[in-house]
Amino acid sequence: MSDSTPNYVGKEAIEVASKDTTYAPRTPDEESADAGVVHKTAPLSRELRGRHMQMIAIGGAIGAGLFVGSGSALSTGGPGSLLTSFWVLGYIIVGSMLLCTVQALGELAVLFPVNGAFFTYIVRFVDPSFGFAVGWDYAIGWLTVLPFELIAAGITIRFWREDLNIGIWITIFLFFLCVIQIWGVRGFGEVEFVLSIIKICGCVGFIIFGTVVACGGTGDQGYLGTKYWHDPGAFANGFKGFCSVFVVSAFSFGGTELVGLAAAEALNPRKSIPQATKQVFWRIAFFYVVSLFIVGLCVPYTNKNLLNSSGANSKYSPFVIAIRLAKVQVLPSIFNVIITISVISVANSCTFGSTRTMQALAERGMAPKLLAYVDSNGRPLWGILLQLAFGLLAFIGEAENQSEVFTWLLALSGLSFFFIWGSICLAHIRFRAAWKQQGHLKAELPYEAIFGVMGSWYGLILCILCMTATFYIALFPIGGSPDAEGFFTYYLAAPIIIALYIGWKVYTKNWTVWISASDMDITSGRRSLVLDPDDMPEPKTWKNAPMRVLRALF
């Protein structure tokens, strides 16, 4: 769908760019023109500020996956594989992939701050059936992660009181989440801001503490240095051990994309989203990479307690184990508080991620109409009630086989993030093709991804490689033979997405593989392309290249 009669900003703005350059027409800042929206409702509240946006992205990525789940990765892969997974693999592969992904998402979110964000982009720029599959997989993932996080929060309390029923703490935490939802998106943003700051302080504190321990400054272990890299060694279980940490890293970094989903409720997405996408990667990389490197120095992968580092068994968190090996008495309890706060923070993100995605799905007729309802305060009430109802599943945690519950809840979410991130990159690639096909210029974009289309191709290819590696370890597990149960605990998301995709194709009888570039809707919900002289990109020269790179990254 191409634009029609131009409506230029003004003579001055055009002259700043180029006298020969023409710009697309200005379009109204509303989603009502989107033909795909069949159930138009009240708009979501736009109250998230820049500080909220940055902490939302960080808050969704620092939780039990880092503080507890990394212990199982250390046990199966050793410190070398752990470091490779979160430094070489996490930094160069998962980390750099996420950098490209959030940059692509940032470009789209600034131009189209619409409900559902990446779900909507996939529907409009790739294929409605694929968007339906990815959207529901993402919503289901967050729906099922909430009871997991509530159970996890209850288990962390057992660090102090094993005699109390876990149901008490599940009830308290679920009530806490209900109170947050009453205050709408502003309440969510403020709570996430505070909790994320506490988590960041905890990571920084552990890095300082771990450095002192590794240098022999406390405890009776003496100078450690890289001792555990030599004895018992840096790598465990070879290549399989290396591949085994992919799902752990995906689950740990999952939630970074929430910054794009929050664009529809950002006060000033044109300013806050670029800031968040540029800075959040480096913060996450620092906290993950450095803290896990310190863990690898302080805890040998042969430590038997690491075998229990799963779910939210905070007693066996590698961070807590490192503190106990140093024989510091009070610090384990303090760090367990941080783990509990981290789990609650992720649970808070669950309610946001699922409700906004389901509301966008319902608007397009891909979910029950009831879920599209938004009240006068900008809250998707029925979606919130459904998410909190799923939270009641946490009481299953009182059962004796709660470990199996953990396993299958995580199976629905871990691999899903690779599908989500790859789909975001694909949507950006398709959008750029349509943008060019319909006569637009890159200079018209309010914000341009640092690595452009090549960065999205890079992110898409790496997502495919990560899913391939996960498939390998799911099919040929460490220390065992192939079995169906073990395979689906790793790869359950794949058949779900395929079933959703084919199901919507059959329902709509639309067998088109993807939308052609000339037919894509790149107008609906678009922020006005009003160009201010101060917003015009500076000419790219070798002289200003260093400053452009510096501004792009920081």
Side-chain angles (χ1 to χ4, degrees), residues 20-331:
D20 300 324
T21 302
T22 57
Y23 294 91
R26 183 165 58 183
T27 57
D29 180 20
E30 57 184 48
E31 290 92 40
S32 58
D34 192 342
V37 175
V38 296
H39 301 305
K40 187 62 183 175
T41 62
L44 295 169
S45 177
R46 290 181 174 175
E47 298 186 59
L48 292 176
R49 301 181 182 277
R51 61 187 177 88
H52 298 140
M53 299 291 286
Q54 294 185 28
M55 288 302 173
I56 285 170
I58 295 175
I62 300 179
L66 169 64
F67 293 128
V68 182
S70 57
S72 61
L74 176 60
S75 177
T76 58
S81 282
L82 181 66
L83 185 62
T84 304
S85 171
F86 287 90
W87 177 274
V88 180
L89 178 60
Y91 183 82
I92 296 180
I93 298 184
V94 178
S96 62
M97 176 182 69
L98 270 175
L99 175 60
C100 294
T101 301
V102 295
Q103 283 292 312
L105 182 58
E107 179 181 307
L108 293 172
V110 170
L111 189 59
F112 303 98
V114 296
N115 295 3
F118 44 83
F119 151 73
T120 304
Y121 306 146
I122 296 166
V123 168
R124 286 169 53 175
F125 305 144
V126 183
D127 174 61
S129 297
F130 191 58
F132 172 82
V134 171
W136 267 114
D137 180 68
Y138 189 71
I140 290 171
W142 281 126
L143 283 171
T144 54
V145 166
L146 178 60
F148 163 79
E149 297 296 341
L150 289 173
I151 295 171
I155 290 176
T156 60
I157 304 299
R158 287 184 175 176
F159 185 89
W160 300 287
R161 296 292 300 272
E162 292 189 4
D163 58 315
L164 295 177
N165 190 296
I166 191 174
I168 298 172
W169 306 110
I170 291 173
T171 303
I172 293 172
F173 295 135
L174 188 58
F175 175 77
F176 176 68
L177 291 177
C178 290
V179 172
I180 294 173
Q181 296 308 310
I182 293 174
W183 298 103
V185 71
R186 185 62 182 271
F188 161 76
E190 292 294 350
V191 170
E192 196 61 29
F193 181 76
V194 174
L195 297 184
S196 294
I197 288 177
I198 295 173
K199 291 190 290 185
I200 290 169
C201 291
C203 286
V204 172
F206 177 80
I207 289 170
I208 296 172
F209 170 80
T211 302
V212 172
V213 171
C215 293
T218 185
D220 56 4
Q221 303 173 96
Y223 175 77
L224 294 177
T226 58
K227 172 185 175 181
Y228 296 134
W229 283 63
H230 302 285
D231 181 20
F235 295 91
N237 298 308
F239 182 68
K240 284 186 178 181
F242 171 75
C243 291
S244 67
V245 295
F246 269 96
V247 172
V248 176
S249 62
F251 183 76
S252 300
F253 276 108
T256 309
E257 72 289 335
L258 282 173
V259 66
L261 199 63
E265 296 172 80
L267 188 65
N268 185 1
R270 186 165 185 170
K271 181 179 180 181
S272 59
I273 292 175
Q275 288 178 341
T277 56
K278 286 178 181 179
Q279 298 174 16
V280 73
F281 166 78
W282 301 107
R283 295 175 185 177
I284 293 175
F286 172 76
F287 296 131
Y288 270 81
V289 171
V290 179
S291 60
L292 288 173
F293 173 70
I294 297 297
V295 166
L297 294 179
C298 298
V299 182
Y301 74 78
T302 53
N303 189 295
K304 293 181 180 180
N305 290 320
L306 292 174
L307 297 175
N308 298 313
S309 280
S310 60
N313 237 332
S314 54
K315 282 186 177 181
Y316 304 108
S317 161
F319 293 79
V320 174
I321 292 172
I323 295 170
R324 282 180 164 167
L325 288 175
K327 297 183 179 179
V328 179
Q329 297 301 318
V330 181
L331 203 53

Side-chain angles (χ1 to χ4, degrees), residues 399-468:
E400 293 181 2
N401 60 341
Q402 63 176 241
S403 61
E404 292 184 24
V405 176
F406 270 123
T407 300
W408 290 108
L409 289 179
L410 288 177
L412 286 167
S413 56
L415 188 68
S416 296
F417 291 114
F418 286 129
F419 282 104
I420 298 298
W421 299 332
S423 299
I424 291 170
C425 293
L426 180 60
H428 180 243
I429 292 168
R430 298 294 300 148
F431 161 73
R432 280 294 193 92
W435 191 252
K436 182 178 181 180
Q437 176 76 19
Q438 297 184 29
H440 293 270
L441 303 172
K442 286 195 296 182
E444 297 176 69
L445 296 170
Y447 174 68
E448 183 181 344
I450 297 174
F451 304 107
V453 177
M454 292 305 297
S456 293
W457 275 113
Y458 174 79
L460 177 60
I461 291 170
L462 287 183
C463 278
I464 295 172
L465 290 176
C466 287
M467 286 188 285
T468 303

Side-chain angles (χ1 to χ4, degrees), residues 496-551:
I496 289 177
I497 288 179
I498 293 171
L500 289 169
Y501 174 78
I502 296 175
W504 192 251
K505 285 288 186 187
V506 172
Y507 178 76
T508 59
K509 299 179 181 178
N510 179 6
W511 299 99
T512 305
V513 177
W514 64 45
I515 304 170
S516 65
S518 58
D519 292 333
M520 283 184 203
D521 178 9
I522 59 172
T523 303
S524 303
R526 190 173 72 196
R527 281 293 167 98
S528 174
L529 290 178
V530 174
L531 297 176
D532 185 273
D534 294 332
D535 292 331
M536 294 300 297
E538 61 179 326
K540 295 181 179 180
T541 64
W542 287 108
K543 184 177 180 180
N544 63 21
M547 286 305 299
R548 284 190 288 111
V549 171
L550 200 63
R551 280 195 294 270

